[in-house]
Amino acid sequence: MTYAQGLSFALLLGAIAMFVWGRFRYDLVALVVLVIAMATGDVPVKQAFTGFTSDVVIIVGSALVVSAAIARSGVIEWAVGPWLERLRTARVQVPVLAGTTALLSMLTKNVGALAILMPVALRMSRKTGTSPSSLLMPMAFMSLLGGLVTLVGTSTNIIVSQIRQQELGRPFALFDFAPVGLVLTGLGLLTVSVAWRLLPAKRQGAAGLDAASAQTRYATEARITTELAQSGVTIAGLRLSDDGVTLRRLIGPDGAARPALPDAALQADSCLVLEGQDEALDRLFARVPLMHGREKRQPSKAEPGEEMRSIEAVVQEHSLLVGQTAQEVGLNDRFGVRLMGIGRSQERITERLDETTLRAGDVLVLRAGERALPAILTDLDLLPLFERHVKLGDRRRRFLPILVLAAAMLLVAFGVAPVAGAFFGAAVMMMVVGALSPREAYGALEPEVLVLLGALTPISEAVHHSGGSEIIAHVMTGLLDGVAPIFALGLMMAAAMACSPFLHNAPTVLLLGPVAVGVARGLHLNPDAFLMAVATGAGSDFLTPVGHQCNTLVMGPGGYRFGDYWRLGLPLSVMVIVAGTLAIDVFWPL
């Protein structure tokens, strides 16, 4: 073993040890190891930052932005929410929710798909009394399996494609993973549809800080548009209770209060004073073409390109708003801020927002230019709450994100554009069309994952270029010599699956991908099959909550403990190793 190989192995083993220990954040560990690699000369400084500009980082970051835009549009809840909420028992809820999550994971990154559908599952849990512990883990596991179907569904597929480009001269195409992924997704859905009963019943999740703050109920206004009035809609036809929203007052176009009769047709420019939680009101505005009651009054901006923000703020005791209405203070005309909603404990608000006398302790939802907000809060003596995005009254571009994603996938499928270029363009277009603001797009990125990928890529390349991968491959080839090819393939998949909980799925593929190619060449077998095995194994961590973000995401809301994951995860892991090995051998013959 040469000095360069020994140094590369020492750095890699040190990183693995720190990952297993879990004392420090894995992105920080990766950065420290990269610094040491530069200092020791294992990674030349000129090559140390190439990982951050690699296609892997671009595709993963772009997929996260695209997923966030689709979630923000509300199109998924609009499409599946009504029929999902008709499901009354866990026996049908689990397969439908898990299957829907898997289907969505094929189109967007798996963690994004899970984040989109988790609120639907939790709302269904509250309505029907089904324990969230019965729903969320099957959804998380099916998001992993659904992500295996397409190149952009999971980071492991993207990294394996890049390794194939480096080793064999050509990447995997967008749907090369589909035959094996679809087989595993179908079998996985059958498994979770039965084995969810192995999960702990009646376990309640822990409420986070955002969940606690979301319990605040706001009064806001909605205006009936001409389009909606011409459809002959009635109050009953709005189905406000479906979203958990209550009608407090109906005001006609002339400004006079009207009887809120369920079967009365609504007139254009009628105003509804509504009350509900932020998420409930947001769902209503996404589902029904209502316009916020004060949408005609646009707040002023310091600059034309300034971003608008909605925040929560509490009226303090000495605020000049106390005892006055927003109209009397001139909140819009004088301060350039729009009042979107009012939250008040233990009292119903039935007046229009501008005509409601404000009190100390009221929670206001305000919208203004982000540069103007600090001065406005100071001048009005308002106390901003902790940072939380408030969607109340935001306009939606419901179908544009889906159209942008479809265009990107078609460009890739027909070879018009590479994956990185197509999805980067899709992420940019999400901001251009207003599906996400730049701030929301940046917030959708997962810096720790992108940093982990960017920092470890040059280290894994150093191991490969120093000949370290060939040494590992040579040892493994010797161990597998004489073993039937199908068993060698299964053992490679099992090795990737075993490493993923400790290394995270991305480092597992970076380490084992080149090794898999070396083993396949040593055994005179198809390298593509072994790369598929590594991608499938590393992307199928069902035994712990730490190997993949999807598993971590459901741990708190589902009330799971570390030892709960193997109950459902073990049957799925066995299924993936057996069925996945056979499927790879069929579609990528050894």
Side-chain angles (χ1 to χ4, degrees), residues 67 101 104-106 108-118 143:
S67 297
T101 307
L104 187 57
S105 297
M106 300 175 192
T108 63
K109 198 172 184 300
N110 48 22
V111 68
L114 180 61
I116 291 170
L117 289 173
M118 267 183 62
S143 73

Side-chain angles (χ1 to χ4, degrees), residues 245-310:
V245 175
T246 304
L247 175 63
R248 292 303 181 198
R249 197 175 193 185
L250 171 62
I251 302 171
D254 57 358
R258 301 284 179 85
L261 301 176
D263 58 349
L266 295 170
Q267 297 176 281
D269 289 326
S270 294
C271 177
L272 309 177
V273 178
L274 304 172
E275 182 182 89
Q277 296 174 5
D278 173 30
E279 293 290 341
L281 292 165
D282 185 56
R283 288 194 301 271
L284 176 64
F285 277 101
R287 180 175 60 83
V288 182
L290 296 167
M291 184 171 287
H292 192 270
R294 290 293 178 261
E295 205 157 290
K296 289 183 176 180
R297 301 184 182 182
Q298 290 296 331
S300 57
K301 298 181 181 182
E303 297 178 2
E306 185 177 355
E307 185 177 337
M308 304 301 296
R309 294 188 63 192
S310 298

Side-chain angles (χ1 to χ4, degrees), residues 203-229:
R203 191 78 65 77
Q204 293 300 319
L209 200 55
D210 283 343
S213 66
Q215 300 305 310
T216 302
R217 294 182 66 85
Y218 299 99
T220 191
E221 297 179 25
R223 186 164 57 83
I224 302 299
T225 61
T226 303
E227 169 196 0
L228 193 59

Side-chain angles (χ1 to χ4, degrees), residues 312-390:
E312 293 173 307
V314 178
V315 179
Q316 299 193 87
E317 185 178 354
H318 301 293
S319 170
L320 62 86
L321 295 176
V322 175
Q324 300 194 72
T325 66
Q327 192 171 33
E328 291 170 344
V329 175
L331 201 59
N332 186 269
D333 299 332
R334 178 181 169 192
F335 292 94
V337 62
R338 189 200 304 172
L339 178 62
M340 306 292 295
I342 304 173
R344 179 176 294 171
S345 67
Q346 299 180 342
E347 183 175 336
R348 296 177 177 177
I349 295 174
T350 58
E351 295 87 5
R352 302 190 70 161
L353 298 189
D354 280 356
E355 299 169 1
T356 300
T357 302
L358 301 174
R359 302 176 183 175
D362 285 348
V363 179
L364 309 182
V365 180
L366 303 174
R367 185 168 180 81
E370 62 178 344
R371 293 191 179 183
L373 273 172
I376 292 170
L377 295 174
T378 301
D379 292 343
L380 295 174
D381 198 11
L382 300 175
L383 180 66
L385 298 182
F386 64 87
E387 185 70 19
R388 186 169 77 90
H389 178 69
V390 182

